[in-house]
Amino acid sequence: MRPVSIIRFDRLYLASIVVGLVGNIIEWPVTIARLTENPETAALGSGAAIAAGGMIATGVLIALLLWFFAAKRASNVARWIVTVFTVFALGSLFIGLAGSAVIVDAGGILRILAVALQTAATFFLFRPDAAAWFAPFDTVEDDA
């Protein structure tokens, strides 16, 4: 049976993925416009949209794999990778807010919400009941 904290991690982390994906969909026209305006990516033409879509799909796939290994397989490595990614997301968000790069529109609000959900989910990975979930299974002492 999975601990309550892991179930809460499930819900919050999956919600952060969905909110982030919705934000990417809303921001899609802006993303494509930036890619076509940039001289380095404008040469790609329609390939820029394919590359952007591929990067989004890869990000979602990685997030889902981390969720699976942390929440279903009790992988301590996945827990720490989620934590590092969350710290990077928070840092990026704070740098963006400090530099006014995060615009307060629907996409910006969704970005902030996705990072908040991811942060809350990560918090639940370190609750006492979750710590027991991630404890190594080979810690049982042998009587021999």
Side-chain angles (χ1 to χ4, degrees):
M1 183 97 178
R2 295 181 319 137
V4 172
S5 291
I6 296 300
I7 293 168
R8 288 183 180 149
F9 165 77
D10 271 350
R11 293 174 183 163
L12 291 168
Y13 194 71
L14 292 174
S16 75
I17 294 170
V18 170
V19 169
L21 190 55
V22 169
N24 282 324
I25 291 168
I26 289 173
E27 291 286 321
W28 186 255
V30 174
T31 301
I32 297 305
R34 287 181 184 155
L35 289 172
T36 56
E37 291 172 0
N38 185 338
E40 295 176 8
T41 55
L44 295 174
S46 63
I50 294 169
M55 288 189 298
I56 291 169
T58 301
V60 169
L61 179 63
I62 290 169
L64 287 173
L65 284 170
L66 288 170
W67 162 78
F68 175 77
F69 283 109
K72 302 293 185 185
R73 297 289 186 211
S75 168
N76 202 33
V77 172
R79 172 172 73 155
W80 283 103
I81 293 172
V82 167
T83 303
V84 169
F85 282 2
T86 301
V87 169
F88 284 147
L90 280 168
S92 176
L93 183 64
F94 287 137
I95 290 170
L97 288 171
S100 299
V102 176
I103 300 171
V104 183
D105 60 359
I109 292 169
L110 288 175
R111 192 172 312 116
I112 292 167
L113 180 59
V115 172
L117 287 167
Q118 182 179 352
T119 303
T122 303
F123 168 79
F124 282 105
L125 291 176
F126 292 91
R127 303 275 303 162
D129 59 334
W133 171 258
F134 290 108
F137 294 107
D138 60 351
T139 58
V140 177
E141 292 184 19
D142 204 5
D143 289 338

